[in-house]
Amino acid sequence: QTPVTASDLQGTPAAQVANDAGDFAWFGQRFSAVFYRGAGTPQAIRVLQLGDEVAGLAGSRVLNVFTPLLMNSSGLIAFRADVLTTTRITNAIFTFDGTTLQVIATGADTAPGTGGKKFERAMTLFDLNSNGDLLFGSTLIPNGSSVAAEPTVFLKPAGGAISRIAGPGTAAP
């Protein structure tokens, strides 16, 4: 495994994750960017940084990246960020496979199985398994609202659509 040195542009890594294959990812100093170095690759690449536009959200800008930074055995990483759109600040969940950055969900997206509610800003990453299935949650609370939180768990299977797993009104097994 080749050591990764942090340049003066990347700063001291704020959070990092690696897998047994030697893939390595980290957040740049002060959570300013996400970097990735695949196993056997001599150089790291910048995945996303503050100020980048998010695909599918015209005019948007990344404001912050947040822990946790998750990685599976295949080198797929998952993370979330605050994104400023033309009308609001929202959360977004991303994956990166060493080549392609994918937006999994944003707070502006309709959350399946919720009667039309949006994911909103309070999304949390829970787990990323070796198959690439991503488990995450949302409180489904609009910004500035005083309505009660509805903590809800969602699953995004690799190559599949997001589905609601559990939340208010879900029958216990």
Side-chain angles (χ1 to χ4, degrees), residues 5-72:
T5 57
S7 78
D8 59 344
L9 299 175
Q10 299 165 2
T12 305
Q16 58 276 335
V17 64
N19 64 16
D20 290 341
D23 301 308
F24 182 67
W26 69 96
F27 290 145
Q29 187 171 1
R30 295 187 182 110
F31 299 91
S32 59
V34 181
F35 297 94
Y36 182 92
R37 186 189 59 81
T41 306
Q43 282 194 312
I45 57 173
R46 181 183 51 82
V47 176
L48 185 78
Q49 75 178 18
L50 304 186
D52 283 355
E53 185 174 70
V54 175
L57 295 175
S60 65
R61 295 288 175 252
V62 172
L63 294 177
N64 298 300
V65 292
F66 297 108
T67 57
L69 175 59
L70 305 175
M71 178 184 280
N72 71 7

Side-chain angles (χ1 to χ4, degrees), residues 50-153:
L50 304 186
D52 283 355
E53 185 174 70
V54 175
L57 295 175
S60 65
R61 295 288 175 252
V62 172
L63 294 177
N64 298 300
V65 292
F66 297 108
T67 57
L69 175 59
L70 305 175
M71 178 184 280
N72 71 7
S73 59
S74 301
L76 179 70
I77 62 172
F79 60 94
R80 68 186 185 94
D82 259 352
V83 177
L84 175 65
T85 68
T86 56
T87 59
R88 62 193 263 177
I89 296 175
T90 190
N91 250 190
I93 294 177
F94 300 88
T95 60
F96 181 73
D97 63 4
T99 306
T100 305
L101 180 65
Q102 181 180 7
V103 179
I104 299 300
T106 74
D109 296 337
T110 301
T114 64
K117 294 180 180 171
K118 306 285 187 191
F119 285 116
E120 298 298 342
R121 188 170 179 199
M123 296 194 298
T124 305
L125 290 175
F126 295 130
D127 198 18
L128 174 65
N129 70 17
S130 59
N131 295 326
D133 303 330
L134 181 64
L135 190 67
F136 67 98
S138 175
T139 58
L140 308 176
I141 300 174
N143 285 344
S145 173
S146 61
V147 300
E150 296 183 34
T152 306
V153 178

